Amino acid sequence: MKINWRTWAGLTAAVLLGMAVPATAKADVTATAPSADVPTTIVQTPAPSTTATTATEAKATVDADRTQSTNTQTTATAVQPAAVSQSAVATAPAPATYGSDGWHLDNSDWYYYDNGQMVTSDWRYLNGNWYYFNYEGIMAANGPYSDNSGNTYIFDNNGHYLKNSWYHYDQSNYAISYPYANGYYTYQGHISNDLWFYADQYGHAVKNGWQWINGAWYYFDYYQMVENRIDYDGHNHYCFDGNGHYFRNHWIYSENKWYYFDNQGHMLDHQWAYLGGHWYYFIDIFNGMAHNGIETDNHGDLYYFDQNGHYQNNGWFYRNNTWYYAYGSGKLASDWAWINGAWYYFDLNGKMQDSGTLFEDGWTYHFDRNGHYWKSRGFY
């Protein structure tokens, strides 16, 4: 399952900068964050390094879900293998006379006849190479194809399937031969350009999950290397850059929200984190860091957060025509609270009672605008 992070077209790596150090710790999650304070205008930083996590670091948490394969190809970085040439088929035999056995070329597609019959949905070993012909008899070439056994291979422009190799497809409106369906959104038919595929040592296209390739981890979602988006591997959410490497110890700003990915690349949610000398609370995968309002943390306590994600912890404060009170720990007062020699009542949302009445334990409490009360026996 994953969020339609393709809507995160504005996804930008940025550094969230500092705030006042709170007095009370919230959790034992620690990480390293940059040092300066967040300005009102978000400062966008250059694209992050393409260095991915090492095998030792990543293996600790995702080893059970990842499949290792030995290879000798270039990793998916700025110097990934070049796309296979789109030139004409160079190694196929010369076309045979129409109606005879052998190769036939028709509108740039290659066919093969054997015993007077067109080969369809089957493999043929010809001149020292294996070729696959689809249900229409067309030789598989230039991308991934599934054979009659359900295995998917990646073919170059000569119809040879690749092993231990990257394959780059950079053409829009490429119609893949199988539907794409996963999680929150569905593709069928045409998919976006700039796609990376990988063929393992057996020639099979890597379909789903983690793959260790030339010293870096990559994640594949229905045969495509995941890049430039957030994705869910069944355990955690990761954010991948344009080279397929996932961010670690990194802030990500998207759609007016801040998200943080820890040392293992996991998105933080439903938890406190101490980053760069300050405490932050992360609500969930949809809302990211708590800011600009009151939030309930994973312990059920209320806190008020400013625009930078810092929580209020200095006593009385006035917001939206309502008085609140924050203890030194940042927790907001709720229910009855003894403050500076007087009792005040706060509702479940932390709002001070400054008018009306409250009936409790046989008494009626009458409140004035300053939160002071007088009480009477019974209900009035």
Side-chain angles (χ1 to χ4, degrees), residues 165-182:
S165 299
W166 287 99
Y167 183 85
H168 184 222
Y169 201 101
D170 187 9
Q171 179 178 333
S172 60
N173 294 324
Y174 167 58
I176 205 163
S177 59
Y178 37 73
Y180 181 112
N182 195 322

Side-chain angles (χ1 to χ4, degrees), residues 24-222:
T24 304
K26 295 295 172 190
D28 59 359
V29 179
T30 60
T32 302
S35 56
D37 249 78
V38 175
T40 301
T41 301
I42 300 301
V43 178
Q44 306 293 348
T45 60
S49 167
T50 58
T51 302
T53 183
T54 64
T56 301
E57 292 169 335
K59 197 173 188 299
T61 55
V62 294
D63 196 40
D65 299 313
R66 302 176 179 182
T67 304
Q68 276 192 314
S69 69
T70 305
N71 65 84
T72 57
Q73 302 304 119
T74 309
T75 56
T77 64
V79 292
Q80 270 178 315
V84 176
S85 172
Q86 300 299 314
S87 62
V89 177
T91 60
T97 303
Y98 185 77
S100 62
D101 288 349
W103 291 95
H104 292 266
L105 180 63
D106 184 7
N107 293 326
S108 76
D109 292 322
W110 283 99
Y111 301 81
Y112 191 81
Y113 282 76
D114 189 6
N115 293 323
Q117 298 294 319
M118 178 191 295
V119 177
T120 60
S121 300
D122 204 358
W123 290 90
R124 282 294 185 275
Y125 188 70
L126 306 169
N127 300 324
N129 292 291
W130 283 101
Y131 300 88
Y132 183 73
F133 300 87
N134 71 10
Y135 71 98
E136 295 178 310
I138 299 172
M139 180 191 77
N142 296 321
Y145 282 82
S146 295
D147 70 1
N148 52 344
S149 299
N151 295 315
T152 300
Y153 297 82
I154 302 171
F155 296 87
D156 65 16
N157 66 314
N158 294 314
H160 304 154
Y161 68 87
L162 306 178
K163 294 182 179 180
N164 294 325
S165 299
W166 287 99
Y167 183 85
H168 184 222
Y169 201 101
D170 187 9
Q171 179 178 333
S172 60
N173 294 324
Y174 167 58
I176 205 163
S177 59
Y178 37 73
Y180 181 112
N182 195 322
Y184 295 125
Y185 58 94
T186 299
Y187 291 133
Q188 182 143 7
H190 297 293
I191 54 180
S192 64
N193 59 354
D194 194 27
L195 307 175
W196 283 98
F197 304 89
Y198 189 78
D200 66 17
Q201 67 267 37
Y202 304 108
H204 298 160
V206 176
K207 183 176 182 180
N208 292 310
W210 292 97
Q211 191 83 3
W212 176 253
I213 303 171
N214 262 15
W217 285 109
Y218 299 88
Y219 188 70
F220 290 81
D221 185 0
Y222 216 75

Side-chain angles (χ1 to χ4, degrees), residues 136-345:
E136 295 178 310
I138 299 172
M139 180 191 77
N142 296 321
Y145 282 82
S146 295
D147 70 1
N148 52 344
S149 299
N151 295 315
T152 300
Y153 297 82
I154 302 171
F155 296 87
D156 65 16
N157 66 314
N158 294 314
H160 304 154
Y161 68 87
L162 306 178
K163 294 182 179 180
N164 294 325
S165 299
W166 287 99
Y167 183 85
H168 184 222
Y169 201 101
D170 187 9
Q171 179 178 333
S172 60
N173 294 324
Y174 167 58
I176 205 163
S177 59
Y178 37 73
Y180 181 112
N182 195 322
Y184 295 125
Y185 58 94
T186 299
Y187 291 133
Q188 182 143 7
H190 297 293
I191 54 180
S192 64
N193 59 354
D194 194 27
L195 307 175
W196 283 98
F197 304 89
Y198 189 78
D200 66 17
Q201 67 267 37
Y202 304 108
H204 298 160
V206 176
K207 183 176 182 180
N208 292 310
W210 292 97
Q211 191 83 3
W212 176 253
I213 303 171
N214 262 15
W217 285 109
Y218 299 88
Y219 188 70
F220 290 81
D221 185 0
Y222 216 75
Y223 300 103
Q224 302 172 42
M225 181 193 78
V226 174
E227 57 181 320
N228 290 323
R229 74 173 194 240
I230 305 289
D231 215 307
Y232 182 61
D233 73 345
H235 301 279
N236 295 287
H237 286 85
Y238 296 82
C239 181
F240 297 87
D241 66 16
N243 294 312
H245 302 150
Y246 60 87
F247 292 103
R248 297 185 301 126
N249 297 324
H250 207 87
W251 287 96
I252 295 293
Y253 185 69
S254 177
E255 297 184 347
N256 300 316
K257 301 179 184 69
W258 284 100
Y259 300 84
Y260 191 81
F261 296 82
D262 66 16
N263 185 56
Q264 296 175 320
H266 303 164
M267 178 194 288
L268 300 185
D269 68 280
H270 294 98
Q271 67 187 96
W272 290 91
Y274 191 65
L275 305 168
H278 307 287
W279 283 104
Y280 302 91
Y281 184 72
F282 295 88
I283 304 169
D284 54 36
I285 62 174
F286 302 101
N287 295 290
M289 180 193 77
H291 67 290
N292 287 336
I294 293 174
E295 293 291 344
T296 303
D297 74 356
N298 52 339
H299 302 293
D301 297 325
L302 294 174
Y303 294 83
Y304 179 84
F305 297 90
D306 65 17
Q307 64 178 353
N308 295 318
H310 301 158
Y311 59 82
Q312 187 86 19
N313 66 341
N314 59 354
W316 290 101
F317 63 97
Y318 192 68
R319 295 289 185 278
N320 299 322
N321 300 316
T322 301
W323 282 101
Y324 300 86
Y325 186 84
Y327 297 110
S329 65
K331 179 181 176 181
L332 297 186
S334 59
D335 206 352
W336 289 98
W338 178 258
I339 303 171
N340 297 329
W343 284 103
Y344 298 87
Y345 182 79

